[in-house]
Amino acid sequence: MSRNKRSYAQQLCVKTVGMTMHRTKMIWPGCKIGIALSGGVDSFVLSKTLKIRQGILPFRIDIIALHINPGFAPKDHAGLLPWLSREGIACHIETGDFGPKAEREGDGAPCFRCAWLRRKRLFELCGQYHLTHLAFGHNADDLTETFFMNICRNGRVQGMSMCEPFFGGKLMVVRPLLLVGKKYILQAARQWDLPFFENSCPWSGHTARSDMSETLKSLYAVSRQSRRCIENAICRWQLGENEQDNKLD
């Protein structure tokens, strides 16, 4: 789809990701980016947006989608291969047992353990494919929730890094969509007709993050502009934090 034919939401995703990449020096010529493609709306929009940016950038980057099915619904990802093939995105798709395994090993919600196991596997795949970057689809809503969770649970003013080095700088974990609000991601996904699927995890909606999402609704209700103002303030703060980190480097 050409730039002139993109909707406001689609263009917002493409432009904001480009701005984030530029201001944080997130990528460079020849980098190889693995996209953590869960199958949810955020990671699908991230994949579509990075594919578009790949054609805009004045230098070459390579992208590959990495999908780890946690094992709750082994056939959930059936629609991934046809879409990735049409988009011309290389992929690695596998089904594990991380979700059921985490349930068996834990006493409560297994989310942390499951996420840890899947991320460990993603790191292994980054090494296997000699990737320089691992990209996650976290958005501005995730950033806001994380910001308040860190204040309320850990006593820290901390958000989510847009680009963070791992393994002595051999791998950069990046979040190109971190300044884009969820509502625009949902709109763009529907307009692009992306084949995202619902989270099959039985614990979905029963996590500390979902609890914080509900708690924040009362804060958003303070005024008609509260949600926009809160997200804009935290996004500006996070961008400033990342730019300061780049200066220190």
Side-chain angles (χ1 to χ4, degrees):
M1 181 180 289
S2 70
R3 175 178 177 177
N4 292 335
K5 292 182 180 179
R6 290 188 201 123
S7 70
Y8 174 80
Q10 291 168 337
Q11 188 64 5
L12 181 72
C13 291
V14 174
K15 288 183 66 176
T16 305
V17 165
M19 180 275 291
T20 301
M21 286 179 167
H22 175 71
R23 290 187 61 174
T24 62
K25 302 176 183 177
M26 184 180 287
I27 61 169
W28 49 81
C31 67
K32 299 179 179 180
I33 304 173
I35 305 169
L37 178 54
S38 66
V41 62
D42 302 312
S43 61
F44 256 113
V45 169
L46 175 63
S47 301
K48 178 70 176 181
T49 304
L50 287 181
K51 181 62 179 178
I52 293 172
R53 296 298 327 176
Q54 187 182 39
I56 295 173
L57 288 167
F59 51 80
R60 175 174 175 170
I61 64 169
D62 294 319
I63 60 176
I64 178 173
L66 306 174
H67 176 74
I68 310 296
N69 187 314
F72 290 117
K75 296 183 179 180
D76 264 359
H77 60 263
L80 282 178
L81 275 174
W83 182 82
L84 290 167
S85 178
R86 289 195 300 271
E87 292 291 324
I89 300 175
C91 66
H92 175 103
I93 297 175
E94 65 179 59
T95 300
D97 66 343
F98 302 131
K101 182 178 180 180
E103 278 192 316
R104 292 193 301 269
E105 293 177 351
D107 296 327
C111 307
F112 178 83
R113 176 66 174 166
C114 178
W116 186 88
L117 290 169
R118 285 183 287 120
R119 183 165 295 201
K120 180 174 181 288
R121 180 58 183 150
L122 286 170
F123 284 153
E124 292 172 350
L125 291 173
C126 288
Q128 178 181 324
Y129 289 107
H130 307 290
L131 304 180
T132 59
H133 291 65
L134 177 61
F136 289 98
H138 297 113
N139 58 59
D141 293 54
D142 297 319
L143 172 59
T144 301
E145 291 161 9
T146 300
F147 183 86
F148 281 101
M149 285 173 67
N150 279 324
I151 289 175
C152 296
R153 291 173 172 265
N154 303 316
R156 297 198 307 266
V157 177
Q158 183 177 347
M160 302 176 79
S161 180
M162 294 177 185
C163 44
E164 182 177 3
F166 279 74
F167 312 115
K170 293 180 180 179
L171 181 72
M172 294 294 295
V173 170
V174 297
R175 298 178 173 89
L177 281 176
L178 199 60
L179 302 183
V180 183
K182 182 79 169 189
K183 71 174 183 178
Y184 298 113
I185 290 174
L186 286 168
Q187 289 172 18
R190 296 188 186 104
Q191 290 155 358
W192 272 319
D193 195 24
L194 301 181
F196 59 92
F197 43 89
E198 294 297 323
N199 188 347
S200 58
C201 172
W203 294 90
S204 179
H206 302 283
T207 64
R209 181 169 296 278
S210 55
D211 289 344
M212 179 54 70
S213 179
E214 286 298 313
T215 300
L216 285 171
K217 288 180 180 178
S218 60
L219 195 57
Y220 296 149
V222 170
S223 75
R224 291 175 57 187
Q225 304 299 323
S226 290
R227 186 185 188 109
R228 179 179 62 83
C229 290
I230 290 168
E231 287 189 355
N232 286 348
I234 294 175
C235 284
R236 285 195 296 269
W237 170 83
Q238 184 66 68
L239 185 60
E241 287 287 298
N242 277 87
E243 290 178 332
Q244 183 62 34
D245 288 343
N246 285 335
K247 290 177 182 177
L248 292 175
D249 292 339

